[in-house]
Amino acid sequence: MFPERRLRRLRKRTLQPLFKETRLAMSDLVMPLFFDETIEEAVPIGSMPGQYRYPLGDAGAVAERLQRAGLSAALIFGIPREKDAAATSAYDEDGVVQKAVAGMKAACPDLVVITDVCACEYTDHGHCGIVGETCGGGMDLLNDPSLALMQKIAVSHARAGADIVAPSCMLDGMVGAIRTALDGSGFAEVPIMSYSTKFASAYYGPFREAADSGFSFGDRTTYQMDPANAREALLESEEDAAEGADILMVKPAGLYLDVLAEIREIGLPVAAYQVSGEYAQLKAASALGWLDERKCALEALTCIKRAGADLIITYYAEDAARWLHEEQ
């Protein structure tokens, strides 16, 4: 077709904005936050420059700051004062996440507060539920006893005022169990955003520091996804959709855009989590002057949206909101 078809005609600088196919918006972004009930002032997270553990007393002020930045949603993680094998702090009505949710909603009722429903921050062994001896003879995460734990955690979060609960433990049947518990406790209107395809990624390292959620033995490969398995990844999200998930998720985001695009075809809204390691890489390279942080971060987020994400959970949410505002 050359010279009749010249694709560069529409790449003139004045025409580029008219033909942009994917547009990143502030409403796409969800800010992850860490609240720690053992501290009195914000503590920087060393491996995640610009991120902090916040004391509970800051919950309202942090919510107001996000709204001023133009953000409309946050995802909450908690670091409790006490841990035990049964993760009892995770469903305590006066627990760290429960108090953080109440503080944020009191300050900013319109801010969408999402809670991570898991146990790894609350167990003394660091795994995502109840651990015991398996049929193979070793110690590992027990599926069905852990489902009962997730039910209690989700209901306590909904009772505290969470707008959306987000189970991240990758248990078989977790969405169905949580839906049953929420409906039976009067929270039928609370949506479930399932970490439906969560890979056993090496890119979670900085998060373990941020959330104090490292495990004391073994690994999480018996419940999180093998990064090599795309067909199984799709099945995981299809099962959660069948159990009643309202929103699906792919985690991590940037390395799994092929999986994200395929899960988009299921038809439910899809979130993608740009994880701590993805954030830390960009921070480290930009600090050394090797990359332009702003351009690289916005490119990465735009590509995640282009692949099919309706929501992007990212530690760059506040920065990206500011950059997008400056571009308007």
Side-chain angles (χ1 to χ4, degrees):
M1 295 294 295
F2 181 83
E4 288 81 6
R5 177 173 294 170
R6 291 177 177 261
L7 296 178
R8 289 188 61 192
R9 288 184 185 122
L10 299 185
R11 294 183 199 152
K12 294 175 183 176
R13 298 189 193 284
T14 54
L15 297 182
Q16 288 174 15
L18 300 178
F19 300 103
K20 185 184 291 289
E21 297 178 21
T22 303
R23 296 180 186 274
L24 187 67
M26 294 183 195
S27 59
D28 301 326
L29 307 173
V30 178
M31 183 69 191
L33 297 170
F34 301 93
F35 286 96
D36 185 341
E37 67 177 343
T38 71
I39 60 176
E40 298 297 327
E41 57 183 31
V43 175
I45 300 168
S47 57
M48 299 173 65
Q51 303 302 309
Y52 297 84
R53 288 188 187 184
Y54 294 102
L56 283 169
D58 286 1
V62 171
E64 291 169 351
R65 190 187 78 209
L66 296 184
Q67 281 204 325
R68 286 196 301 272
L71 297 174
S72 55
L75 173 62
I76 307 304
F77 299 92
I79 297 94
R81 192 177 304 279
E82 297 180 0
K83 303 186 180 199
D84 59 35
T88 53
S89 294
Y91 55 87
D92 187 336
E93 298 300 326
D94 291 318
V96 58
V97 165
Q98 291 80 355
K99 286 183 176 179
V101 170
M104 295 184 77
K105 294 299 290 184
C108 298
D110 294 334
L111 184 72
V112 176
V113 178
I114 308 166
T115 58
D116 180 77
V117 178
C118 197
C120 59
E121 297 102 321
Y122 303 89
T123 54
D124 51 14
H125 47 71
H127 282 280
C128 299
I130 304 301
V131 165
E133 189 168 342
T134 67
C135 60
M139 298 292 288
D140 207 339
L141 185 69
L142 301 178
N143 196 88
D144 292 6
S146 298
L147 290 179
L149 173 60
M150 297 309 137
Q151 289 178 311
K152 290 190 284 189
I153 297 171
V155 169
S156 75
H157 289 181
R159 190 170 287 124
D163 296 292
I164 300 172
V165 295
S168 63
C169 47
M170 285 294 289
L171 298 168
D172 290 341
M174 68 178 183
V175 171
I178 290 171
R179 185 75 274 159
T180 297
L182 290 173
D183 292 357
S185 301
F187 298 109
E189 300 303 314
V190 174
I192 297 173
M193 179 171 75
S194 174
Y195 288 63
S196 55
T197 297
K198 180 180 179 182
F199 291 91
S201 174
Y203 283 77
Y204 301 150
F207 178 92
R208 306 263 160 82
E209 175 196 351
D212 191 23
S213 63
F215 38 86
S216 60
F217 69 91
D219 57 33
R220 293 176 179 152
T221 60
T222 62
Y223 44 106
Q224 295 177 2
M225 284 288 314
D226 186 335
N229 292 6
R231 294 194 302 272
E232 186 184 4
L234 179 61
L235 285 173
E236 283 282 4
S237 281
E238 287 176 337
E239 285 198 3
D240 284 9
E243 290 177 25
D246 301 282
I247 308 159
L248 303 173
M249 188 195 297
V250 176
K251 180 183 180 182
L255 298 177
Y256 298 92
L257 298 184
D258 58 328
V259 175
L260 173 59
E262 193 164 7
I263 288 173
R264 167 82 173 192
E265 297 303 310
I266 293 174
L268 290 177
V270 181
Y273 198 144
Q274 186 187 50
V275 300
S276 59
E278 297 177 84
Y279 173 84
Q281 285 185 130
L282 283 176
K283 279 288 184 181
S286 61
L288 291 169
W290 294 348
L291 292 176
D292 183 313
E293 181 180 13
R294 174 172 173 162
K295 289 181 178 180
C296 287
L298 289 176
E299 179 180 342
L301 295 173
T302 300
C303 291
I304 293 167
K305 183 171 182 181
R306 188 197 65 217
D310 299 287
L311 295 175
I312 304 172
I313 303 162
T314 173
Y315 302 98
Y316 271 114
E318 282 189 90
D319 289 331
R322 184 179 72 255
W323 295 331
L324 291 171
H325 179 73
E326 291 171 355
E327 290 179 358
Q328 290 177 353

